[in-house]
Amino acid sequence: MILPEEFKSRMQDMLGEAYPAFIRSYETTSHSALRINTLKGTREQFLDKAVFSGLREVAWEENGFYYSKQQSVVRVGKHPLHEAGVYYIQEPSAMVPAAYLEAKPQERVLDLCAAPGGKSTQTACYMQNQGILVCNEIHPARAKILSENIERMGIRNALVTNETPQRLAEVFGGYFDRVLVDAPCSGEGMFRKNQEAVAEWNLENIQLCAERQDEILDCADRMLRSGGRLVYSTCTFAPEENEGSIARFLMRHPDYHVLAVPLYSGMAAGNPQWAWIHNSVLTQQLEPQCRASLEHTIHLFPHLVEGEGHFLAVLHKAGEAESNIQRFPPKGIQMGVKAKEVKEFFQFQKESLNLDLTEGRDNCLLRFGDQLYLMPLDMPSINQLKVLRIGLHLGTLKKKRFEPSHALALALNREEAKYTMELYQGDNTAAQAYLSGQVLPFEGEKGWRLITYMGYSIGWGKGAGQTMKNHYPKGLRKNV
């Protein structure tokens, strides 16, 4: 691999004696990993099925596993369990930021730069579909991919937005318990995996990225409550975007400090000496407490860990959360529709499901035209926001009937459906037929059935005579 000379020179200055080992890492192959989706089932359930061989644990994510290079990427990415959202293919170092975010059920969490969705879906697993997860992406095409991954992983409590950080900050002032900023960056940490990142690298872009990161972090601060946690991460080695970004943020926001968190084997502590922007901000200008905070930032270098290059800082905002006080978003709570307006849905639920999705919750159904959504509890108003996904898309209201969505199928466990049809009979033949849109042979009562593979939901079918009508979305169907 041909690396930019200016990049190599700077890395040699930064790493010193460790530089030869760093350069040698580019002669090795990158590491591949997957993360089990615990919204679909437990880690033990997945491992008991022994679908993939050679799995090894990722130290910083209990549900993350390296998979063997002998196990081809095509097979892992095209396997029916992938289509069912049972796991997410994710670069191992990219699992670190969400792990340190430590999101919990019932919290309000923002992933500000969320596409394609790896960290959002990881965070959703920690939240167990409880609370509100706002996943934002500024670029429309990438926001669409983010929304598709949120759907595939069966997430019920996510709001996917396509907004600027500045616009979100106007709407969600002081609203979130935790904010993740996986910032757009120069991508140096991905050089080994992405040749385009090498070709596009230049010093000017590093400066532009650093300036953009300052703006994004300031917006994140406006949306984080007192006592909240902010995790900042990049996939670059550029000091201007790492220690430099954190140093500048701390100087603008002295009410923050970087938390000292436990490091996993191979992780390296940050270096205050690297906190500069083309020498316009010198280390000597930093306050002592700022210098100490920078020592608690974290680097992942490819010669020290089994993963690509990453940087992160776990920041705490001063103050305490308001106890025993219901915090409402500035724009208020989104109002839903009355049950009598969507009686077709409740009829479907009574006939086809073993649970009441609205149990104990008023004002939780939202209707857009003929489309029906299940909102997260106390979902903030979406008025004047660009929204791609609102909680869980339930389906389509048609004349005197309700047609369930693919998103609903993927969000259900087998036990939650009254009628199911299992595809796995020792091989993938039936699954491949279903995923390609073929009609399946069937004997049984007419009506909706949750189609499962190895016990995991993968879509809908509708019994009709001697066949199972295939309702796998046409846009997702595979050629076999």
Side-chain angles (χ1 to χ4, degrees):
M1 175 182 294
I2 300 176
L3 297 170
E5 290 299 323
E6 291 170 307
F7 167 76
K8 292 193 293 183
S9 177
R10 186 245 289 153
M11 294 306 300
Q12 186 166 19
D13 289 342
M14 289 171 58
L15 297 177
E17 295 180 355
Y19 176 73
F22 171 78
I23 288 298
R24 284 195 300 271
S25 71
Y26 287 92
E27 300 172 2
T28 63
T29 57
S30 59
H31 299 275
S32 299
L34 59 83
R35 178 176 43 78
I36 298 168
N37 179 12
T38 54
L39 299 178
K40 291 277 188 174
T42 67
R43 159 192 169 117
E44 290 71 26
Q45 288 170 337
F46 176 83
L47 295 177
D48 285 347
K49 297 184 187 302
V51 176
F52 304 123
S53 61
L55 295 180
R56 294 184 297 110
E57 294 183 352
V58 175
W60 42 82
E61 169 52 64
E62 65 176 349
N63 296 304
F65 292 86
Y66 298 98
Y67 57 83
S68 170
K69 289 297 181 182
Q70 284 70 40
Q71 184 72 61
S72 73
V73 174
V74 172
R75 181 182 173 189
V76 174
K78 299 297 183 181
H79 195 279
L81 289 181
H82 181 267
E83 304 307 313
V86 177
Y87 57 84
Y88 190 102
I89 298 172
Q90 188 173 16
E91 197 280 313
S93 293
M95 299 179 191
V96 173
Y100 279 111
L101 187 66
E102 296 183 353
K104 295 178 174 58
Q106 306 298 346
E107 289 186 327
R108 301 168 176 184
V109 181
L110 169 65
D111 187 352
L112 188 51
C113 312
K119 298 173 182 65
S120 287
T121 56
Q122 184 180 0
T123 299
C125 289
Y126 297 145
M127 297 179 72
Q128 300 172 27
N129 272 329
Q130 301 174 50
I132 295 175
L133 173 61
V134 177
C135 313
N136 182 69
E137 174 56 45
I138 190 172
H139 299 290
R142 287 171 54 80
K144 182 180 178 181
I145 296 171
L146 167 64
S147 182
E148 291 169 351
N149 279 322
I150 293 292
E151 175 176 298
R152 182 172 63 86
M153 304 300 277
I155 296 168
R156 302 184 185 185
N157 65 324
L159 182 67
V160 179
T161 58
N162 173 213
E163 289 288 356
T164 64
Q166 291 81 2
R167 174 60 183 147
L168 285 184
E170 294 172 1
V171 175
F172 291 109
Y175 179 72
F176 294 103
D177 299 296
R178 300 173 194 267
V179 176
L180 173 61
V181 177
D182 184 45
C185 68
S186 56
E188 294 176 358
M190 295 294 109
F191 279 179
R192 185 166 60 173
K193 289 191 67 174
N194 187 354
Q195 285 293 319
E196 290 184 6
V198 180
E200 294 172 357
W201 183 89
N202 59 70
L203 294 176
E204 292 76 14
N205 187 46
I206 291 174
Q207 179 64 26
L208 290 173
C209 287
E211 294 170 359
R212 187 184 305 121
Q213 290 153 6
D214 289 350
E215 296 174 359
I216 293 173
L217 279 170
D218 286 345
C219 291
D221 164 63
R222 291 168 58 189
M223 291 184 276
L224 185 66
R225 67 161 172 83
S226 297
R229 174 172 289 202
L230 168 62
V231 172
Y232 172 81
S233 64
T234 71
C235 57
T236 190
F237 306 116
E240 298 92 330
E241 303 177 65
N242 293 340
E243 282 91 346
S245 281
I246 297 302
R248 298 190 303 275
F249 180 76
L250 293 175
M251 288 192 287
R252 296 193 306 274
H253 302 277
D255 54 334
Y256 282 83
H257 69 276
V258 181
L259 292 174
V261 295
L263 303 187
Y264 292 88
S265 177
M267 291 183 179
N271 188 338
Q273 300 297 328
W274 295 345
W276 74 79
I277 308 176
H278 297 298
N279 294 327
S280 61
V281 177
L282 299 176
T283 307
Q284 295 92 304
Q285 295 176 315
L286 301 179
E287 296 292 336
Q289 60 267 31
C290 180
R291 291 173 57 88
S293 267
L294 293 180
E295 294 176 354
H296 299 316
T297 61
I298 303 170
H299 280 280
L300 282 75
F301 290 107
H303 64 291
L304 297 178
V305 300
E306 292 184 278
E308 304 311 300
H310 266 68
F311 168 88
L312 73 149
V314 183
L315 297 114
H316 177 79
K317 188 174 185 177
E320 298 295 332
E322 298 173 333
S323 61
N324 301 320
I325 297 177
Q326 175 68 48
R327 290 182 292 118
F328 289 98
K331 298 290 184 180
I333 300 299
Q334 182 68 42
M335 300 303 294
V337 297
K338 296 180 180 179
K340 65 180 181 180
E341 298 179 34
V342 291
K343 58 181 182 293
E344 297 90 347
F345 163 71
F346 286 101
Q347 183 64 30
F348 161 82
Q349 181 174 252
K350 180 180 178 180
E351 294 174 352
S352 304
L353 303 183
N354 289 324
L355 78 165
D356 179 1
L357 290 164
T358 66
E359 183 178 7
R361 298 172 54 191
D362 297 324
N363 190 44
C364 63
L365 296 176
L366 185 64
R367 181 173 182 174
F368 278 104
D370 59 359
Q371 302 302 306
L372 188 65
Y373 296 82
L374 178 69
M375 297 185 290
L377 184 64
D378 293 333
M379 191 185 83
S381 171
I382 59 172
N383 185 36
Q384 298 182 339
L385 281 177
K386 296 177 185 176
V387 177
L388 278 72
R389 182 166 295 276
I390 305 160
L392 176 60
H393 180 211
L394 296 174
T396 305
L397 293 158
K398 298 194 173 183
K399 188 176 181 180
K400 296 184 178 180
R401 65 186 178 91
F402 179 80
E403 185 169 300
S405 71
H406 186 58
L408 176 57
L410 294 176
L412 293 172
N413 294 322
R414 178 175 57 182
E415 295 76 15
E416 295 173 326
K418 286 187 177 179
Y419 308 104
T420 64
M421 178 179 177
E422 172 62 36
L423 295 176
Y424 185 69
Q425 304 298 331
D427 59 32
N428 290 340
T429 303
Q432 291 170 347
Y434 176 75
L435 294 174
S436 66
Q438 297 180 31
V439 174
L440 302 177
F442 168 75
E443 291 185 6
E445 296 182 6
K446 294 181 179 180
W448 291 102
R449 287 180 180 262
L450 186 67
I451 308 299
T452 63
Y453 174 84
M454 289 191 171
Y456 297 104
S457 61
I458 198 169
W460 290 110
K462 194 171 186 181
Q466 300 299 308
T467 62
M468 177 64 66
K469 187 176 180 181
N470 194 322
H471 280 262
Y472 195 71
K474 293 181 179 179
L476 299 178
R477 292 179 182 179
K478 315 295 180 184
N479 295 323
V480 294

